[in-house]
């Protein structure tokens, strides 16, 4: 109870008549303020500096400590308290999970088609990482793990992380930030600004690999905003899409040995093997947006 009393002035700040930019900066500031006591010891033990590359096992504790705070930050900064989650599009209904499943399937299917095209033209070669098959088989006494089981076992923890990260980022960027900007600007200007923040914040983890992806990350934010519109304001469809892209790309990077043959420019397939840093990845996002628009029958620009 004392904590809620102490935090109530924060919620009152967001209830006042202040510009969207001021409120967004305040929201991010509260989030950072909660995170720093947890982040500083983690940063010191890992000798990491912001904007410097991190291995996934180094990044995960930092990311986990940051994202676990999101529900608390949302509850703290919203005058609506618990109801703020539904007002931001996080609606706890069966239809939300159904929309998330559809979005996940659409995202993964798009990635599979993208990589199949690249393989068919000889631009990409990949095979299962041999180290996966060498792991003990948890199902039978055989020491050799069949490829199908190896992929399934290794992809499960990635799936859990993708669902959590995708849902958290959607709540923040297509939920809180989009709604805050929408108070002062039109929907698509709000979406453009929130998507720019979404893209730029990825630079914190790695500037070198993220810079070529900035246009793709911005467009990804726009498509995910469109998904929320097509889902009637719910974040379910956007959550599924986001989680599907994270899961698919992470599985691709960690479960397979990938080699781009160099037969075509990386500007086509993706600079530094990042799909969002290539023309084909951008076309995938545009196609996904078109599918969402025509399948829902909602034309937000008309």
């Amino acid at each position: 109870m004392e904590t809620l009393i102490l935090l109530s002035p924060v919620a009152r700040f967001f209830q006042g008549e202040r510009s969207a930019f001021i409120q967004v900066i305040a929201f991010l500031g509260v989030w950072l303020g909660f995170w720093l006591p947890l982040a500083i010891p983690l940063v010191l033990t890992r000798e990491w500096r912001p904007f410097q590359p991190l291995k996934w096992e180094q990044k995960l504790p930092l990311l986990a400590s940051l994202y676990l705070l999101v529900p608390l930050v949302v509850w703290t900064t919203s005058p609506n308290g618990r109801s703020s989650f539904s007002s931001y599009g996080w609606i706890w209904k069966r239809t939300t999970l159904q929309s998330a499943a559809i979005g996940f399937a659409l995202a993964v299917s798009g990635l599979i088609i993208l990589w199949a095209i690249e393989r068919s033209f000889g631009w990409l070669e990949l095979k299962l990482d041999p180290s996966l098959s060498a792991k003990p088989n948890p199902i039978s006494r055989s020491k050799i793990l069949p490829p199908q089981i190896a992929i399934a076992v290794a992809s499960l923890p990635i799936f859990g992380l993708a669902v959590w990260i995708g849902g958290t980022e959607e709540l923040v960027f297509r939920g809180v930030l989009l709604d805050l900007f929408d108070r002062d600007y039109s929907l698509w200007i709000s979406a453009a600004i929130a998507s720019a923040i979404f893209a730029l914040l990825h630079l914190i983890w790695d500037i070198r690999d993220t810079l070529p992806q900035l246009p793709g990350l911005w467009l990804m934010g726009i498509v995910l905003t469109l998904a929320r519109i097509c889902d009637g304001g719910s974040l379910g469809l956007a959550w599924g899409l986001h989680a599907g892209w994270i899961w698919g790309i992470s599985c691709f990077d960690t479960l397979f040995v990938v080699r781009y043959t160099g037969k075509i420019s990386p500007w086509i397939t993706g600079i530094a093997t990042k799909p969002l840093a290539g023309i084909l990845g951008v076309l995938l996002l545009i196609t996904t947006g078109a599918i969402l628009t025509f399948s829902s029958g909602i034309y937000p620009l008309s």
Side-chain angles (χ1 to χ4, degrees), residues 135-154 156:
K135 294 181 179 179
N137 190 337
I139 297 177
S140 70
R141 295 181 179 180
S142 172
K143 293 182 179 180
I144 300 176
L145 196 64
Q148 297 87 347
I149 298 178
I151 293 174
V153 170
L156 281 176

Side-chain angles (χ1 to χ4, degrees), residues 183-263:
R183 298 175 188 178
D184 287 357
Y185 306 100
S186 68
L187 173 60
W188 288 110
I189 290 179
S190 302
I193 299 171
S195 298
I197 295 173
F198 167 71
L200 290 170
L201 287 179
H202 282 75
L203 291 170
I204 294 174
W205 305 112
D206 186 352
I207 286 184
R208 184 187 61 189
D209 287 345
T210 303
L211 273 176
Q213 299 184 76
L214 286 180
L217 286 167
W218 178 85
L219 182 58
M220 177 181 171
I222 295 295
V223 173
L224 291 170
T225 301
L226 177 60
R228 183 180 176 188
I229 295 170
C230 294
D231 203 19
S234 169
L235 289 172
L237 187 58
W239 175 27
L241 279 170
H242 199 154
W245 284 327
I246 293 174
W247 182 78
I249 293 173
S250 298
C251 287
F252 182 75
D253 288 340
T254 59
L255 306 185
F256 296 91
V257 177
V258 181
R259 186 180 78 87
Y260 284 89
T261 60
K263 293 181 178 180

Side-chain angles (χ1 to χ4, degrees), residues 73 122 136 145 161 164 182 208 227 246 284:
V73 177
L145 196 64
L161 285 171
W164 171 46
D182 195 41
R208 184 187 61 189
I246 293 174
L284 172 62

Side-chain angles (χ1 to χ4, degrees), residues 59-70:
K59 179 180 176 180
L60 184 57
L62 290 164
L63 198 66
S65 63
L66 179 65
Y67 282 9
L68 284 171
L69 291 169
V70 167

Side-chain angles (χ1 to χ4, degrees), residues 36-297:
L36 282 178
L38 302 174
I40 291 173
L42 292 172
V43 167
L44 293 176
T45 56
R46 283 156 180 78
E47 299 182 350
W48 173 67
R49 299 294 179 270
F51 311 109
Q52 297 301 314
L54 267 178
K55 294 181 179 179
W56 178 246
E57 58 270 21
Q58 297 173 306
K59 179 180 176 180
L60 184 57
L62 290 164
L63 198 66
S65 63
L66 179 65
Y67 282 9
L68 284 171
L69 291 169
V70 167
L72 175 61
V73 177
V74 172
W75 194 3
T76 299
T77 58
S78 174
N80 300 323
R82 292 181 180 178
S83 65
S84 62
F85 289 89
S86 58
S87 67
Y88 291 139
W90 198 256
I91 303 170
W92 295 104
K93 292 183 179 179
R94 184 178 64 180
T95 53
T96 302
L97 294 178
Q98 292 172 342
S99 295
I102 292 170
F104 189 90
L106 178 59
V108 174
S109 299
L111 288 172
I112 290 173
I113 292 172
L114 172 68
W115 292 320
I117 291 172
E118 292 178 349
R119 287 192 70 184
S120 65
F121 283 100
W123 302 338
L124 171 68
E125 295 177 354
L126 77 160
K127 60 181 179 179
L128 183 67
D129 188 341
S131 64
L132 291 176
S133 297
K135 294 181 179 179
N137 190 337
I139 297 177
S140 70
R141 295 181 179 180
S142 172
K143 293 182 179 180
I144 300 176
L145 196 64
Q148 297 87 347
I149 298 178
I151 293 174
V153 170
S155 65
L156 281 176
I158 299 175
F159 174 79
L161 285 171
V163 169
W164 171 46
I165 292 172
T168 302
E169 293 189 352
E170 288 313 295
L171 175 60
V172 171
F173 296 100
R174 258 62 61 184
V176 178
L177 266 61
L178 182 65
D179 283 18
L180 288 176
F181 282 122
D182 195 41
R183 298 175 188 178
D184 287 357
Y185 306 100
S186 68
L187 173 60
W188 288 110
I189 290 179
S190 302
I193 299 171
S195 298
I197 295 173
F198 167 71
L200 290 170
L201 287 179
H202 282 75
L203 291 170
I204 294 174
W205 305 112
D206 186 352
I207 286 184
R208 184 187 61 189
D209 287 345
T210 303
L211 273 176
Q213 299 184 76
L214 286 180
L217 286 167
W218 178 85
L219 182 58
M220 177 181 171
I222 295 295
V223 173
L224 291 170
T225 301
L226 177 60
R228 183 180 176 188
I229 295 170
C230 294
D231 203 19
S234 169
L235 289 172
L237 187 58
W239 175 27
L241 279 170
H242 199 154
W245 284 327
I246 293 174
W247 182 78
I249 293 173
S250 298
C251 287
F252 182 75
D253 288 340
T254 59
L255 306 185
F256 296 91
V257 177
V258 181
R259 186 180 78 87
Y260 284 89
T261 60
K263 293 181 178 180
I264 196 168
S265 170
W267 284 96
I268 304 296
T269 55
I271 298 171
T273 72
K274 305 295 182 182
L276 290 180
I279 292 175
L280 288 179
V282 170
L283 289 176
L284 172 62
L285 292 173
I286 293 172
T287 303
T288 303
I291 292 172
L292 293 175
T293 300
F294 290 112
S295 63
S296 66

